[in-house]
Amino acid sequence: QVQLVESGGGSVQTGGSLRLSCAASGSISSIHTMGWYRQAPGKQRELVATIAVVGGTNYADSVKGRFTISRDSAKNAVYLQMNSLKPEDTAVFYCNAVAEFSAGTHYTFWGQGTQVIVSS
């Protein structure tokens, strides 16, 4: 099992910045990808950014150039630096980890979520 704990959410004005953190514990060595997803009121959860343990990042078009995902292997943590925030970024942000415990069998884990509110 993998446990994920997010922190860093809050309220900012348009154009502001926030940095989200996610600390992973448990079967860390099984994780191959971590990322951030978000869910706005009345909308489906959507991908924001992912980062692979072996390298490589992926971003939603809506956040490219504004958000940066990074990881610290020593701390088993992943971060999301969010700049130039817009009201449409308002959502609950969830940390995500995908782990492979046996060949070909992948499990997805979620954090509890952290609220981000961007006011105009």
Side-chain angles (χ1 to χ4, degrees), residues 32-87:
H32 58 75
T33 305
M34 294 188 72
W36 291 93
Y37 288 68
R38 66 185 179 186
Q39 187 166 18
K43 294 187 177 180
Q44 290 187 331
R45 191 172 298 188
E46 62 177 6
L47 179 145
V48 176
T50 62
I51 185 165
V53 170
V54 295
T57 58
N58 180 47
Y59 294 92
D61 288 342
S62 60
V63 306
K64 284 181 180 177
R66 300 188 298 124
F67 292 9
T68 302
I69 190 170
S70 61
R71 58 187 292 270
D72 185 332
S73 299
K75 296 182 178 180
N76 299 319
V78 65
Y79 308 97
L80 186 68
Q81 177 66 43
M82 305 186 293
N83 299 326
S84 302
L85 283 161
K86 305 174 182 180

Side-chain angles (χ1 to χ4, degrees), residues 11-17 84-87 117-120:
S11 297
V12 294
Q13 292 187 328
T14 298
S17 298
S84 302
L85 283 161
K86 305 174 182 180
I117 298 173
V118 185
S119 58
S120 57

